[in-house]
Amino acid sequence: MAQEKREQRERSEQKIGVYICHCGGNISDHVDVEAACEEAGQIPGVTVARTNMFMCSDPGQELIIEDLKSGAVDRVVVASCAPSLHEETFRRAMARAGVNPYVYEHANIREQVSWVHHGTPATAKAAQLISAAAAKASSLKPLDPIRVEAKPHATVIGAGVAGLKAAKDLADQSIEVALVEKSPFLGGRTAHLDRLAPTGERAVDLVADLAAEVLAHPGITVLPCSEVTGFEGYIGNFSLTLTRRPPELSEELDRLSHEALAGREGGTLIPFVGVVGPDLPTRDEQVSVETGAIILATGFRPYQPRHGEYGYGELEEVVTLPDFLRMLAGAEGGDNLVVNGREIRHIAMIHCVGSRQIPGVHEEDENGNLNEHCSRTCCSSTLHAANLVRQRHPKTRVYEYYRDIRTYARGQEELYTEAARNKVIFFRFEPESPPTVSRSTARGAPPLTVTVADTLTFGEEVQAPADLVVLSVGMEPNDVSDLVSLMKLPVGSDRFLQEVHPKLRPVELAVSGIFLAGTCQAPMDVSEACSAASAAAVKATALLSRGFVELEPFIAEVDLERCRGTGACVEACLREGALTMVDMELAGAVVRRPRVNPALCLGCGACVAVCPENAIDVNGWTLKQYEDMVDRIVSEKAAA
């Protein structure tokens, strides 16, 4: 009873500020913001109610800061867009005002109201959500962030250009780095290229220079032929188990031949393969790595056409673009391109093979997957290759078959203009009517014929001869299902690893302390992959440089007086190690009770739902706070 009276007295003394955002019309076009503000001013405990065109703007935040500093309010409710966008923005504003940032509640009146309701129902619902948020705010208590020590060490998984760049950037900031690579080679897929579009820069030079800087850096330990087979811990304190195997067991070597490494030393560049990593293992071994942050740079793989797709695997003259680029790099000059001793007079290049696939039109792979995404880099790479052919071998004709040309980055649109000047011939097709590739039967003609219903000529069927058909294959994420399972990583519908938010947190994963770099996240060109790697390195450096990290305090808390030690909460816990049963002394007796590891707790509330004694709660989202919100909504509906 005394506790309840004390809580009632505390609530009567509280001063809640309500701040409602117009969101530039996103909200105010459908919600009468001024009416909702007037109604908010009548809510018990609310002393200030204001509106602003953009609450998240500096002027909007200043409204909150001034009211807090003046003592007009001591807790805050902001009604605006989704909390995932700006909850942290307003917490930081409260901290700048010298107020505990956790006496704050957010009401989402955009996604939950204005985007789904209109007129009077929208305004009424917005007012209810604001009132419910104020009810919760009245019972919020100041919380302290959880401080966890952080090792000044980072692990980068994957040694393509993104992994190399991330490792170097981290080490340059005095963060010790372990660079883990599955194959014996550094450089990733970029090392398999000749020149980069649109600049024409030699890929081998980029890879060699970057790898040399990494290998020479005293703060970077490079671990080739290594796979992550064990993972535990939390942000600032991860523990990885690496399994290292001799390169003879490497799939990469099986594909490229064992001779690739014969007599090679670490740092040696092998064209179209990569830079040989240092200290290749001679036997199976396990290595433990204690690290504070992890950057995933696991890369991509080119789409492998199905057997028979555009004749691939059935017609020897049908190759993929990566294979063709290697052929082109080794070809000698001459009026006609010569491949394997055969003169090539006509090349057909087919876009969007393994990209932008459509359900019901394209065939799924053996796992039922379709690549519905655009791989973004294929158009520019194909146009660049076409230009190289026309410039080096002017009597070789090039035909491009495309659905849409997407040259999206700086300097890449010029590739299309240049191709037109180079007299590359374009045919456009609908995805439902792709080109067909067949064996030519005419004597003396090129071996293949490509037939297409060309939409540029209003669907006229056009046939063109081809000595070589090049399939512009898209990007697929490398298979990292083992890491996804070990680290509980989020994966998008496109099977690439998924960031928290594409704009606000573009290189962060939902698993705190793990970051993304490069094409494991989405199709990117080399410059974008390196930029993403630098962004991830900056995030990891900021995390580790202070020697500790601060985590949100929204974690489970056990009421030991109510707890009877059933262990139901531990069984329901979604994060291994977040809740464990331990022996402790209570009232002079040794009992077994659950203990929360604050660094591992997800704050999900699964434990709360199963406790028969209501002895566990989540700070900042207690059952009582939920009940207060529901009671407020129900009482207002009854009054209406």
Side-chain angles (χ1 to χ4, degrees):
M1 183 67 75
Q3 169 99 7
E4 291 179 4
K5 288 183 177 180
R6 185 170 64 253
E7 289 180 354
Q8 289 175 358
R9 185 174 65 253
E10 289 175 352
R11 289 192 182 198
S12 66
E13 297 171 354
Q14 289 164 1
K15 294 175 285 187
I16 302 170
V18 173
Y19 303 86
I20 308 175
C21 185
H22 287 250
C23 201
N26 275 300
I27 291 173
S28 57
D29 283 353
H30 304 289
V31 173
D32 188 336
V33 170
E34 298 304 327
C37 183
E38 183 177 351
E39 193 168 335
Q42 309 303 314
I43 297 172
V46 172
T47 56
V48 170
R50 303 187 191 278
T51 68
N52 191 271
M53 182 59 68
F54 294 103
M55 243 10 266
C56 60
S57 67
D58 288 342
Q61 293 180 55
E62 283 301 317
L63 286 178
I64 299 172
I65 292 172
E66 289 173 10
D67 287 343
L68 288 167
K69 285 184 174 180
S70 69
V73 303
D74 58 17
R75 55 201 59 224
V76 169
V77 170
V78 173
S80 62
C81 55
S84 60
L85 288 173
H86 287 300
E87 186 175 52
E88 186 60 31
T89 300
F90 298 118
R91 290 197 193 282
R92 286 198 297 266
M94 294 181 69
R96 292 200 301 275
V99 176
N100 188 286
Y102 298 107
V103 288
Y104 165 86
E105 182 57 22
H106 197 103
N108 181 356
I109 62 169
R110 188 179 72 174
E111 284 82 351
Q112 293 182 0
V113 180
S114 66
W115 283 2
V116 289
H117 302 287
H118 308 288
T120 301
T123 303
K125 183 177 179 181
Q128 285 184 334
L129 291 181
I130 293 168
S131 184
K136 182 191 173 190
S138 67
S139 62
L140 288 173
K141 297 178 181 179
L143 300 172
D144 294 321
I146 300 159
R147 179 171 288 196
V148 176
E149 290 187 6
K151 296 180 176 67
H153 182 284
T155 298
V156 179
I157 301 175
V161 290
L164 292 169
K165 178 64 173 169
K168 183 180 182 302
D169 285 358
L170 283 163
D172 286 346
Q173 297 301 316
S174 300
I175 303 294
E176 189 177 348
V177 181
L179 178 58
V180 179
E181 169 56 39
K182 188 175 183 179
S183 81
F185 306 109
L186 314 181
R189 293 290 173 184
T190 304
H192 298 181
L193 302 176
D194 177 36
R195 296 186 179 273
L196 303 178
T199 63
E201 178 184 5
R202 281 166 48 88
V204 67
D205 293 339
L206 172 67
V207 170
D209 291 347
L210 193 52
E213 291 178 338
V214 166
L215 291 172
H217 204 296
I220 302 175
T221 301
V222 181
L223 298 167
C225 300
S226 301
E227 295 185 57
V228 178
T229 53
F231 169 82
E232 59 184 20
Y234 46 86
I235 182 173
N237 294 270
F238 294 111
S239 180
L240 299 176
T241 300
L242 308 180
T243 299
R244 306 193 70 204
R245 297 185 176 90
E248 284 76 15
L249 302 181
S250 165
E251 292 182 4
E252 186 75 4
L253 283 182
D254 289 341
R255 190 175 70 83
L256 296 170
S257 84
H258 290 68
E259 288 75 20
L261 280 179
R264 311 283 187 172
E265 295 182 356
T268 301
L269 174 69
I270 304 174
F272 292 98
V273 177
V275 175
V276 179
D279 302 320
L280 301 182
T282 57
R283 57 182 175 80
D284 287 6
E285 60 184 14
Q286 286 195 333
V287 177
S288 296
V289 176
E290 303 298 320
T291 194
I294 298 170
I295 293 180
L296 298 173
T298 52
F300 78 98
R301 62 188 178 195
Y303 171 77
Q304 182 68 25
R306 291 178 290 99
H307 185 82
E309 187 173 6
Y310 296 111
Y312 185 80
E314 295 177 347
L315 304 171
E316 62 179 355
E317 298 87 358
V318 179
V319 299
T320 65
L321 180 60
D323 291 334
F324 176 68
L325 293 177
R326 188 169 181 176
M327 296 174 186
L328 187 60
E332 297 180 359
D335 287 346
N336 283 114
L337 173 65
V338 178
V339 173
N340 297 328
R342 188 165 56 88
E343 191 173 66
I344 307 297
R345 293 172 296 166
H346 305 271
I347 296 177
M349 310 185 86
I350 302 177
H351 289 240
C352 287
V353 180
S355 295
R356 302 176 66 205
Q357 294 177 321
I358 301 172
V361 174
H362 295 96
E363 187 176 329
E364 298 174 344
D365 67 14
E366 64 275 10
N367 297 314
N369 297 316
L370 284 175
N371 294 337
E372 297 184 47
H373 59 271
C374 171
S375 294
R376 303 176 75 240
T377 64
C378 324
C379 285
S380 297
S381 297
T382 306
L383 289 167
H384 185 250
N387 285 326
L388 289 177
V389 171
R390 293 292 297 153
Q391 291 161 5
R392 295 177 183 176
H393 312 284
K395 287 191 176 179
T396 297
R397 307 200 68 172
V398 179
Y399 310 105
E400 293 221 12
Y401 299 80
Y402 72 98
R403 288 168 56 184
D404 301 285
I405 297 290
R406 294 182 172 181
T407 49
Y408 65 94
R410 177 179 294 179
Q412 295 189 6
E413 179 65 20
E414 287 82 349
L415 292 172
Y416 178 77
T417 305
E418 185 180 1
R421 284 200 303 265
N422 285 330
K423 298 182 179 180
V424 173
I425 299 174
F426 292 91
F427 301 101
R428 189 175 188 180
F429 64 91
E430 295 292 345
E432 297 83 3
S433 304
T436 59
V437 180
S438 58
R439 178 69 69 187
S440 175
T441 58
R443 177 176 293 183
L448 302 178
T449 298
V450 181
T451 304
V452 68
D454 178 26
T455 63
L456 299 178
T457 55
F458 308 101
E460 181 181 358
E461 186 177 279
V462 178
Q463 290 186 337
D467 296 287
L468 195 68
V469 171
V470 178
L471 306 183
S472 183
V473 292
M475 289 185 178
E476 295 181 327
N478 271 325
D479 182 7
V480 291
S481 55
D482 51 346
L483 293 179
V484 169
S485 178
L486 276 174
M487 300 180 180
K488 305 298 187 288
L489 304 176
V491 180
S493 58
D494 56 7
R495 308 191 309 284
F496 288 92
L497 297 177
Q498 189 166 39
E499 71 282 346
V500 173
H501 191 282
K503 294 182 179 178
L504 301 180
R505 298 172 67 184
V507 296
E508 297 177 62
L509 282 168
V511 183
S512 298
I514 304 182
F515 305 93
L516 295 170
T519 52
C520 64
Q521 179 182 8
M524 300 180 186
D525 65 18
V526 171
S527 62
E528 290 173 320
C530 288
S531 295
S534 292
V538 167
K539 281 286 186 180
T541 300
L543 178 74
L544 302 174
S545 57
R546 293 186 298 172
F548 66 88
V549 294
E550 289 187 342
L551 307 179
E552 298 279 19
F554 307 122
I555 62 169
E557 185 174 48
V558 180
D559 184 341
L560 294 176
E561 293 184 2
R562 285 188 174 186
C563 180
R564 296 292 177 266
T566 65
C569 56
V570 177
E571 294 178 8
C573 183
L574 302 180
R575 180 73 179 271
E576 186 177 353
L579 269 173
T580 53
M581 298 297 291
V582 298
D583 292 331
M584 62 178 66
E585 187 173 330
L586 194 64
V590 175
V591 295
R592 195 160 181 79
R593 295 290 186 267
R595 174 178 292 169
V596 179
N597 183 329
L600 290 176
C601 180
L602 301 173
C604 64
C607 53
V608 178
V610 299
C611 180
E613 309 295 338
N614 286 338
I616 192 166
D617 240 324
V618 175
N619 287 329
W621 279 102
T622 66
L623 279 176
K624 181 65 169 61
Q625 289 163 351
Y626 275 114
E627 290 168 356
D628 288 346
M629 297 177 78
V630 173
D631 288 346
R632 178 66 62 83
I633 292 173
V634 171
S635 63
E636 290 188 352
K637 279 188 172 292

